[in-house]
């Protein structure tokens, strides 16, 4: 179901396409500007040929025996088009069905003198003085009222889906109580699917909770291919398979003869899959490769690989993205941005229509920009977009060999060079170790803990509610021991300890860990405890006198204040000592801290996996419109907004809300994907920003039009037209009167004029006595050398492949039903169709004769 390609036709398509061996053929409806067309596409979606007919095509094409195509039109004609797109013949059935004659004009462009800003049931507007003064003159006309037009200021963002961020810590450390990963160095693995084409400078911002920065670098180290000499998007590492020597849940020591090579991080960012042996079927991402030890650090797996584990490491391409961290937001935001460079061309010499010299400060490495897109953002050649076929670096004055442009760059040409991220790409970006530490979840209490309030360590999260609804595991700072003889794992339910229970923070309901078993206290008599054995997913076992007892309590965090790192908890039996240790576990709306079995002190929780929604998605249904910021709220509600040019061209939807120039409109993005930008983009969107009318991109911004349509139901001699629309209509209309250049990338000046209204007679409608809607000739069928169509003039027509009439049969009324052709064993053809006269007809024809060479013979 994933979209492969899309073709924009500028006209409606209502008939089902014909699929041939090498072509896809369909017809279009006529519009205000041109008649319908027969269009043939190649299988890759590019146009093979088109042929303009004399009206709309609402029929389905059919194919003849030689690859020719037969198509019927709404004005009653049938066209035969050869496989190369040339007309073979056409035949007029005459079946237009008596279309009403239009009045004096087919269409008129007028303006509105008086609007209607309170359309209770319908809108009544007064037309300009050049409109007709005849009563009922425009009755039945279709009216389009344009309310506003311009360029988008803030567009919509639908560029990515299925976003996932995996925290990948280094090996855990021991705090003295717990073995954990709280606060250790952490890499990040960011994965997402690209849904809409992304250009240089465009980014996604992922809010991530719980991080601490360990440096203040403005740019984060990213893989695959950080500091590589291979251009972004180009092959970097080839796949390799081998057998592991050993490993842990976070690392694999690779085969000495099947590894990632002699360069650190050569395969960082690649996927590794365990194909057999221990841990078979598990996959992970390599977050660090150490060439000296052939060790790959990986995202955590459930089962550690060993010497029986075979693996395959997938190939990689150099990442097209760079990463940064915005600490000014709450929570901090990981920003993943499409790479780009910009500068002024060094074109004092040697620049041509096929060559541009980049600034002397650009990367000296030959090939580093191969395949990247080159935009002429300003200056000579502005608005042109081409491709850097080959980058020479220092080998030839930072020159790019480019696809031919119409205007050669000059020394005033401002360029931007960037990789293009196409729709349907799957992206993995690894943010390297050395930038972040794992979210805090264990440590020692501060201050004076109580039974209901616990101040966590200073390194705990500063975000309010960060640990809310999670469980805190309190390890009391005491170490009583067992006394007496050996305790049997199956029989003994009474334990004697070395100190009174109340002096050891032990009460009814307290959990005790003894060796590898956890027990729960159910009754107390001084230093004698009655217990339930084998609690919290542990098994009852034998214990010797002198075994150390670890005392544990659990409570739920009901509130958390980040400024003071204070957790409000359900009541504990005992207030912990100030030096007591804790560990927080669980899942809430902000973060997930889950993993190993509760009360298992020797393993750590699994790393966090989150699915953050990019901050840009806060505007997935809103558009801010240039020139409309100061316009009245709710004015355009109920009107249609269409993107007429630039990114998102053709998208349209009804405006559901309008506030201070921002409208809420939902577009259908289900078919996005491929080599174009599907969503509208504005002057403040990343990658398209035009600050102070200085653009950073050669691409147009999205241009919009807001309009309402309806049919005139009544018209008076006072030029008052009643049109059933619900949107408010003003007598003035705001439009773009000046663009920044002939490229019309964005609007610089908005002006007002009288609101335009376009009135068009609904051509093709039947006279009132006829009823229904005109359809002309219907979808033809082809069988054994006979082409059959039915027509609105009551007839069934049978035509030969040369266009001559073989038969014509009249039914009782107009025919809207397409014919169906069946080839019989003797090559005769049976035709079935229905008519408005309430009859179904079967017509039988003789085998057709086709001229081949110089004689006729039966096919």
């Amino acid at each position: 179901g994933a979209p492969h390609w899309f073709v924009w036709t500028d006209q409606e398509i209502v008939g089902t396409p014909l699929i041939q061996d090498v072509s896809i053929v369909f017809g279009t409806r006529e519009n205000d500007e041109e008649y319908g067309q027969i269009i043939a596409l190649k299988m890759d979606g590019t146009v093979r040929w088109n042929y303009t007919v004399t009206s709309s095509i609402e029929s389905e094409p059919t194919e003849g025996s030689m690859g020719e195509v037969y198509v019927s039109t709404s004005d009653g004609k049938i066209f035969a088009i050869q496989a190369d797109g040339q007309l073979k013949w056409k035949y007029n059935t005459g079946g237009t069905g008596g279309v009403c004659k239009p009045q004096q004009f087919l269409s008129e462009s007028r303006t509105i003198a008086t609007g209607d800003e309170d359309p209770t049931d319908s809108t009544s507007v007064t037309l300009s003085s050049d409109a007709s003064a005849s009563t009922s003159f425009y009755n039945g006309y279709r009216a389009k009222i344009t309310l506003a037009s311009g360029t988008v200021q803030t567009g919509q963002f639908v560029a990515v889906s299925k976003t996932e961020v995996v925290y990948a810590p280094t090996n855990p450390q021991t705090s003295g109580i717990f073995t954990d990963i709280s606060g250790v160095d952490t890499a990040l693995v960011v994965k997402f699917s690209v849904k809409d084409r992304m250009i240089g400078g465009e980014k996604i911002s992922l809010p991530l909770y719980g991080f601490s920065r360990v440096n203040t670098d403005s740019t984060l180290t990213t893989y695959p291919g950080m500091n590589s000499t291979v251009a972004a998007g180009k092959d970097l590492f080839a796949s390799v398979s081998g057998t592991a020597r050993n490993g842990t849940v976070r690392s694999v020591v690779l085969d000495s003869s099947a590894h990632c090579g002699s360069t650190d991080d050569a395969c960082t960012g690649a996927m590794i899959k365990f194909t057999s042996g221990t841990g078979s079927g598990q996959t992970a991402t390599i977050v660090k490769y150490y060439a000296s030890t052939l060790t790959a650090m990986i995202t955590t797996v459930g089962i550690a690989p060993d010497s029986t584990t075979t693996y395959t490491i997938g190939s990689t391409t150099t990442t097209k993205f760079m990463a940064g961290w915005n600490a000014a937001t709450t929570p901090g935001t990981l920003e993943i941005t499409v790479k780009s460079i910009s500068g002024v061309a060094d074109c004092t010499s040697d620049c041509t229509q096929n060559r541009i010299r980049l600034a002397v400060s650009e990367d000296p490495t030959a090939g580093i920009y191969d395949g990247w897109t080159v935009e002429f953002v300003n200056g000579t050649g502005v608005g042109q977009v081409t491709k850097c076929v080959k980058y020479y670096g220092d080998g030839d004055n930072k020159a790019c060999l480019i696809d031919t442009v119409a205007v050669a760059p000059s020394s005033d040409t401002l360029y931007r060079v960037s990789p293009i991220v196409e729709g349907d790409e799957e992206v993995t970006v690894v943010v390297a170790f050395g930038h972040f530490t794992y979210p805090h979840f264990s440590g020692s209490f501060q201050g004076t803990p109580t039974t209901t309030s616990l101040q966590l360590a200073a390194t705990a999260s500063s975000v309010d509610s960060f640990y809310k609804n999670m469980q805190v595991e309190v390890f009391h700072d005491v170490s009583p021991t067992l006394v007496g003889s050996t305790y049997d794992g199956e029989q003994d339910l009474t334990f004697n300890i070395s100190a009174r229970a109340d002096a050891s923070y032990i009460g009814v309901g307290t959990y005790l860990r003894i060796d590898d078993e956890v027990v729960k206290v159910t009754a107390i008599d001084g230093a004698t405890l009655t217990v339930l054995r084998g609690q919290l997913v542990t098994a009852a076992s034998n214990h010797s006198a002198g075994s150390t007892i670890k005392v544990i309590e659990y409570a739920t965090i009901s509130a958390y204040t980040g400024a003071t790192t204070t957790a409000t908890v359900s009541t504990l039996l005992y207030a912990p000592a100030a030096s007591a240790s804790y560990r927080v576990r669980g899942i809430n709306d902000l973060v997930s801290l889950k993993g190993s079995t509760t009360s298992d002190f020797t393993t750590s929780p699994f790393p966090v996996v989150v699915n953050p929604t990019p901050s840009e998605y806060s505007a997935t249904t809103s558009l801010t419109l240039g020139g409309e910021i100061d316009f009245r709220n709710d004015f355009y509600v109920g009107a249609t907004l269409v993107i007429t040019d630039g990114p998102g061209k053709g998208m349209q939807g009804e405006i559901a809300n309008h506030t201070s120039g921002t409208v809420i409109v939902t577009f259908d993005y289900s078919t996005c994907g491929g080599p174009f930008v599907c969503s509208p983009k504005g002057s403040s969107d990343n990658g398209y920003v035009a600050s102070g009318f200085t653009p950073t991109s050669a691409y147009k911004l999205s241009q919009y039009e807001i309009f309402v349509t309806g049919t005139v139901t009544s018209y008076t001699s006072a030029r008052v037209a009643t049109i059933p629309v619900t949107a408010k209509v003003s007598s003035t209309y705001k439009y773009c009167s000046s663009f920044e250049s002939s490229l019309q990338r964005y609007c610089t000046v908005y002006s007002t004029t009288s609101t335009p209204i376009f009135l068009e007679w609904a051509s093709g409608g039947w006279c009132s006595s006829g009823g229904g809607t005109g359809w002309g000739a219907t979808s033809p069928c082809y069988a054994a050398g006979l082409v059959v169509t039915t027509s609105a003039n009551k007839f069934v027509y049978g035509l030969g492949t040369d266009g001559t009439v073989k038969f014509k049969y009249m039914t009782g009324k107009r025919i809207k039903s397409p014919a169906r052709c069946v080839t019989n064993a003797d090559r005769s053809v049976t035709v079935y169709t229905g008519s408005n006269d309430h009859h179904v007809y079967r017509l039988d024809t003789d085998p057709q004769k086709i001229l081949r060479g110089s004689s006729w013979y039966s096919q």
Side-chain angles (χ1 to χ4, degrees):
H4 190 65
W5 50 254
F6 310 93
V7 176
W8 173 263
T9 64
D10 281 325
Q11 294 177 313
E12 292 182 348
I13 303 164
V14 294
T16 302
L18 166 68
I19 309 301
Q20 298 181 293
D21 287 343
V22 295
S23 299
I24 302 160
V25 184
F26 58 92
T28 67
R29 276 179 170 169
E30 62 182 330
N31 57 23
D32 297 338
E33 299 176 356
E34 56 186 346
Y35 290 119
Q37 300 178 79
I38 306 168
I39 300 175
L41 303 178
K42 299 177 183 177
M43 289 304 179
D44 63 1
T46 57
V47 175
R48 184 179 299 280
W49 53 259
N50 57 26
Y51 184 89
T52 300
V53 295
T54 53
S55 65
S56 291
I57 301 172
E58 306 207 3
S59 63
E60 300 175 11
T62 192
E63 182 179 11
S65 60
M66 303 300 290
E68 74 274 20
V69 176
Y70 301 98
V71 181
S72 298
T73 61
S74 294
D75 61 354
K77 296 183 178 70
I78 182 167
F79 288 78
I81 308 295
Q82 297 175 162
D84 61 357
Q86 299 299 310
L87 177 67
K88 186 176 182 183
W89 52 259
K90 63 181 176 180
Y91 178 82
N92 188 0
T93 70
T96 56
V99 176
C100 286
K101 292 182 179 180
Q103 300 186 43
Q104 184 177 358
F105 302 102
L106 285 172
S107 62
E108 297 182 15
S109 295
R110 300 288 181 254
T111 58
I112 292 176
T114 304
D116 185 350
E117 299 186 11
D118 185 21
T120 305
D121 298 315
S122 61
T123 297
S124 295
V125 296
T126 303
L127 303 189
S128 52
S129 59
D130 56 350
S132 173
S134 299
T135 300
S136 302
F137 185 87
Y138 296 115
N139 286 5
Y141 270 65
R142 183 172 58 211
K144 177 183 176 182
I145 305 172
T146 304
L147 306 178
S149 63
T151 53
V152 172
Q153 180 171 314
T154 303
Q156 296 183 355
F157 183 87
V158 294
V160 300
S161 60
K162 297 184 294 186
T163 306
E164 177 184 86
V165 180
V166 180
Y167 301 7
T170 58
N171 290 324
Q173 58 192 12
T174 301
S175 66
I177 302 299
F178 301 117
T179 299
D180 62 38
I181 51 179
S182 182
V184 303
D185 190 9
T186 299
L188 301 178
V189 178
V190 183
K191 295 185 177 184
F192 53 88
S193 300
V194 180
K195 183 178 179 181
D196 195 11
R197 192 184 206 204
M198 300 179 71
I199 67 171
E202 198 165 3
K203 69 180 179 182
I204 58 173
S205 304
L206 304 175
L208 300 178
Y209 288 89
F211 279 124
S212 296
R213 285 293 303 274
V214 295
N215 61 42
T216 57
D217 296 343
S218 58
T219 301
L220 309 179
T221 303
T222 55
Y223 293 98
M226 185 71 177
N227 302 320
S228 169
T229 58
V230 178
K234 301 296 184 180
D235 291 340
L236 180 66
F237 174 77
S239 177
V240 67
S241 299
T243 302
R245 288 185 283 166
N246 56 62
T248 70
V249 294
R250 294 186 182 86
S251 65
V252 185
V253 181
L254 302 180
D255 193 321
S256 58
S257 59
H259 50 79
C260 297
S262 59
T263 304
D264 284 350
D265 293 310
C267 56
T268 298
M271 185 184 78
I272 183 170
K273 181 176 182 179
F274 300 153
T275 53
S276 66
T278 302
S280 177
Q282 298 179 111
T283 60
T285 301
I286 297 174
V287 295
K288 181 71 179 177
Y289 172 65
Y290 297 99
S292 60
T293 60
L294 305 183
T295 299
M297 301 296 296
I298 61 175
T299 51
T300 303
V301 293
I303 302 172
D306 60 21
S307 59
T308 69
T309 304
T310 63
Y311 60 81
T312 294
I313 299 174
S315 60
T316 63
T317 58
T318 304
T319 182
K320 298 178 181 179
F321 294 86
M322 57 186 183
W325 180 253
N326 185 355
T329 60
T330 301
T333 303
L334 180 66
E335 297 178 340
I336 305 294
T337 307
V338 181
K339 294 176 178 178
S340 67
I341 60 168
S342 59
V344 178
D346 182 22
C347 283
T348 52
S349 63
D350 296 336
C351 288
T352 69
Q353 291 173 280
N354 295 101
R355 176 184 170 91
I356 182 173
R357 285 173 53 180
L358 305 184
V360 295
S361 58
E362 301 298 4
D363 196 305
T365 308
I368 197 68
Y369 303 132
D370 285 2
W372 286 31
T373 294
V374 181
E375 303 169 54
F376 292 13
V377 176
N378 235 329
T380 301
V382 60
Q384 298 178 115
V385 179
T386 184
K387 183 173 77 173
C388 179
V389 179
K390 184 178 180 63
Y391 178 65
Y392 295 98
D394 273 354
D396 188 2
N397 299 310
K398 309 291 176 63
C400 263
L401 176 66
I402 58 176
D403 286 340
T404 304
V405 293
V407 179
S410 186
S411 55
D412 67 339
T413 300
L414 175 65
Y415 63 81
R416 182 171 71 176
V417 183
S418 61
I420 290 293
V421 184
E422 302 286 10
D424 304 325
E425 287 190 30
E426 297 292 330
V427 176
T428 297
V429 178
V430 174
V431 179
F433 290 116
H435 295 294
F436 299 103
T437 58
Y438 195 82
H440 174 95
F441 64 88
S442 69
S444 298
F445 294 119
Q446 298 185 84
T448 305
T450 70
T451 57
T452 58
S453 180
L454 305 173
Q455 186 178 8
L456 306 187
T459 53
S461 175
S462 60
V463 177
D464 288 343
S465 300
F466 185 76
Y467 303 109
K468 184 178 179 180
N469 298 327
M470 292 189 181
Q471 184 185 66
V472 61
E473 184 178 26
V474 178
F475 179 80
H476 286 292
D477 192 17
V478 291
S479 300
T481 58
L482 287 178
V483 296
S485 58
T486 299
Y487 291 85
D488 183 88
E490 299 295 332
Q491 303 296 326
D492 294 321
L493 300 177
T494 302
F495 288 1
N496 294 315
I497 61 176
S498 59
R500 287 181 57 84
D502 55 3
S504 302
Y505 294 88
I506 299 174
V508 173
T510 301
Y511 289 90
L512 309 176
R513 184 176 185 89
I514 308 169
D515 301 325
D516 290 328
E517 180 187 0
V518 175
V519 302
K520 183 177 182 180
V521 177
T522 59
I524 298 173
D525 183 8
T528 300
L529 312 177
T530 302
V531 299
L532 294 175
R533 304 294 298 272
Q535 299 296 294
L536 301 180
V537 201
T538 62
S541 59
N542 297 333
H543 306 292
S544 302
S547 295
T548 300
I549 299 172
K550 298 176 181 178
V551 182
I552 314 163
E553 276 196 81
Y554 296 94
T556 299
I557 298 174
S558 58
Y560 178 73
T561 303
T564 60
T565 68
T566 300
T568 301
V569 299
S570 54
T571 304
L572 296 165
L573 293 173
Y574 294 96
S579 57
S581 297
Y582 66 85
R583 181 166 61 176
V584 180
R585 315 291 295 285
I587 303 172
N588 62 21
D589 293 338
L590 302 183
V591 74
S592 166
L593 298 170
K594 61 181 181 178
S596 59
T597 305
T598 304
S599 301
D600 183 352
F601 297 169
T602 60
T603 61
S604 58
F606 293 142
V608 174
V609 178
V610 295
N611 300 102
T613 299
S615 302
E616 290 79 5
Y617 269 86
S618 62
T620 52
T621 59
S622 68
L623 285 174
T624 301
L625 308 177
E628 299 296 320
I629 300 301
D630 57 350
F631 212 74
R632 289 160 287 181
N633 293 345
D634 295 328
F635 201 84
Y636 298 130
V637 172
T640 297
L641 184 145
V642 62
I643 303 300
T644 57
D645 205 355
K649 181 179 180 180
M651 287 289 181
Q652 72 175 43
E654 182 177 315
I655 296 174
N657 184 271
H658 171 222
T659 304
S660 300
T662 297
V663 297
I664 301 299
V665 57
T666 300
F667 297 126
D668 180 9
Y669 290 123
S670 61
T671 58
C672 287
F676 60 89
V677 180
C678 191
S679 56
K681 298 298 180 183
S683 57
S684 61
D685 291 325
N686 293 316
Y688 296 86
V689 175
S691 176
F693 300 130
T694 301
T696 59
S697 168
Y699 297 104
K700 277 186 176 181
L701 301 182
S702 299
Q703 297 180 21
Y704 67 87
E705 180 179 277
I706 299 173
F707 65 91
V708 291
T709 59
T711 300
V712 178
T713 57
S714 68
Y715 185 73
T716 72
S717 59
R719 304 191 308 281
V720 176
T722 300
I723 309 166
V725 296
T726 57
K728 301 174 182 179
V729 176
S730 173
S731 60
T732 57
Y733 151 76
K734 186 172 286 188
Y735 71 103
C736 182
S737 57
S738 179
F739 285 90
E740 50 84 35
S741 71
S742 60
L743 298 172
Q744 297 191 353
R745 283 184 291 183
Y746 57 90
C747 185
T748 56
V749 178
Y750 285 90
S751 301
T752 57
T753 188
S754 297
T755 299
I757 179 171
F758 179 74
L759 296 155
E760 179 184 31
W761 176 251
S763 60
W766 293 107
C767 297
S768 56
S769 60
T773 302
W775 52 82
T778 65
S779 301
C781 62
Y782 174 86
L786 187 70
V787 184
V788 181
T789 187
T790 60
S791 179
N793 66 356
K794 308 179 186 180
F795 282 89
V796 182
Y797 290 87
L799 306 171
T801 54
D802 58 353
T804 59
V805 177
K806 300 300 182 181
F807 73 83
K808 184 167 68 171
Y809 182 86
M810 185 175 70
T811 66
K813 286 190 176 181
R814 299 184 179 102
I815 307 174
K816 190 173 183 179
S817 168
R820 289 292 177 261
C821 301
V822 178
T823 303
N824 302 313
D826 63 353
R827 304 300 292 171
S828 65
V829 176
T830 300
V831 178
Y832 298 88
T833 191
S835 173
N836 280 5
D837 64 5
H838 300 190
H839 287 81
V840 173
Y841 292 85
R842 168 178 169 165
L843 307 177
D844 296 317
T845 70
D846 295 329
Q848 296 302 301
K849 294 180 178 180
I850 296 179
L851 181 64
R852 290 186 179 169
S854 60
S855 63
W856 288 96
Y857 68 96
S858 173
Q859 181 173 285

